[in-house]
Amino acid sequence: GGVTGLARAARLAGGPGNGHILMLTVELCTLSFRLEDNSKAMFISSALFGDGAAAVVLRTGQSGDAHENGRRAPCIRLLATGEQLWPDSEEMMGWSIEDDGLGVVISTHIPQFTRKALRGATCDFLERHGLELGDLAGFVTHPGGRKVLEAIEDSLGVDRADLVHAWDILRDFGNMSSPTVLFVLERALADPKPGIHLMVALGPGFTVSFALLDVRPE
C-alpha cells in the first residue's frame, strides 16, 4: 500500500494544475485483534503487526527548496512505478470477514513463493525501464517479517547490508503494513546513496509493487 499509494499520488501530482499532493497512509493493525480467535495466524499477526502512519508530499517540477534540520534535503525524483498481481493467489495474504471482525489471512508459503517468484517480477519491471539489478544504488524494501526479508535477499541475490534499513525498521517498529516502507525510505534518505533506488513492497493479492527513485544528495 505504501508503494502503490505513492504511485497513485504521483499520477495526481502530474495532473492538471501541477499542485502539491499529500499522501497519507494510516494502519491500525491492532484493531483486528480478536479475542475469540485462537489460531496460529492470529498470534503471529498480533506479534508482528503494529500501528503506524506516514505522509509524503509530492509535486511536479524541480525540487531543491526543501530543508531538513537546517540543511537542504536530498532531491528525490520518482521515475517509474509498477505492480504485478499473481493469479489465484488471494489465499496467501489478506482478510476474511468474520462475525466478530476481520480475520487475518497469512500463508506459511509466502517466503517460499517470494524466493521463487520475486526475482522474475523484479527483473521484468527493471527491463521495461532499461535497467538491471546491478544498476541500482540501493533498495527500499517493505519488511514483511524476518522470513520474508530473508527470502527477498535470497531471491534478489543481495546481502543483508543492502536491506539494513528494512531490518532496522522491523526491529524498532515491527510491520505496520502500508506505512512501513515509507519509514524505511526515511531511514535510507538520512544518509543517501546517490543513484537509482528500487522500492519493493509485497501485499495482499498476492501482489508486488515497485517504484524507481532517483536520489541526489543535497
Side-chain angles (χ1 to χ4, degrees):
V3 177
T4 303
L6 198 63
R8 303 297 183 267
R11 288 186 185 180
L12 293 173
N18 295 330
H20 290 70
I21 300 298
L22 171 66
M23 186 197 85
L24 176 65
T25 174
V26 180
E27 296 277 6
L28 303 177
C29 300
T30 54
L31 292 179
S32 65
F33 184 79
R34 294 161 52 235
L35 294 175
E36 302 302 320
D37 186 355
N38 295 320
S39 67
K40 182 178 179 180
M42 172 55 68
F43 283 107
I44 292 176
S45 65
S46 298
L48 178 61
F49 287 92
D51 300 339
V56 178
V57 175
L58 299 93
R59 68 174 185 176
T60 56
Q62 294 293 322
S63 181
D65 59 355
H67 290 75
E68 180 179 330
N69 298 327
R71 62 182 179 85
R72 192 177 297 276
C75 175
I76 311 164
R77 291 194 304 128
L78 181 59
L79 302 179
T81 61
E83 301 171 33
Q84 177 163 323
L85 169 65
W86 284 281
D88 303 318
S89 60
E90 63 271 16
E91 297 300 322
M92 293 190 66
M93 182 187 296
W95 300 98
S96 61
I97 308 300
E98 307 296 341
D99 292 338
D100 58 344
L102 294 174
V104 65
V105 177
I106 299 180
S107 171
T108 58
H109 300 296
I110 290 176
Q112 178 183 354
F113 184 87
T114 300
R115 283 186 173 88
K116 178 181 178 181
L118 179 60
R119 186 180 183 90
T122 303
C123 290
D124 287 346
F125 170 72
L126 292 174
E127 184 179 355
R128 290 197 297 272
H129 301 285
L131 296 169
E132 299 178 351
L133 284 168
D135 298 324
L136 300 174
F139 295 86
V140 179
T141 307
H142 171 68
R146 178 180 61 83
K147 291 183 179 180
V148 174
L149 279 177
E150 290 172 348
I152 292 173
E153 291 171 353
D154 293 343
S155 183
L156 299 184
V158 298
D159 296 327
R160 180 152 304 191
D162 295 315
L163 306 186
V164 63
H165 299 303
W167 282 103
D168 288 348
I169 292 298
L170 182 65
R171 179 196 64 214
D172 295 344
F173 299 97
N175 183 347
M176 299 167 285
S177 196
S178 60
T180 319
V181 72
L182 299 177
F183 277 60
V184 178
L185 177 61
E186 183 181 42
R187 290 281 179 94
L189 295 178
D191 185 22
K193 296 180 181 179
I196 297 177
H197 295 244
L198 178 66
M199 294 185 73
V200 182
L202 298 167
F206 192 55
T207 305
V208 60
S209 298
F210 299 108
L212 284 174
L213 301 178
D214 186 12
V215 178
R216 302 296 172 189
E218 58 177 304

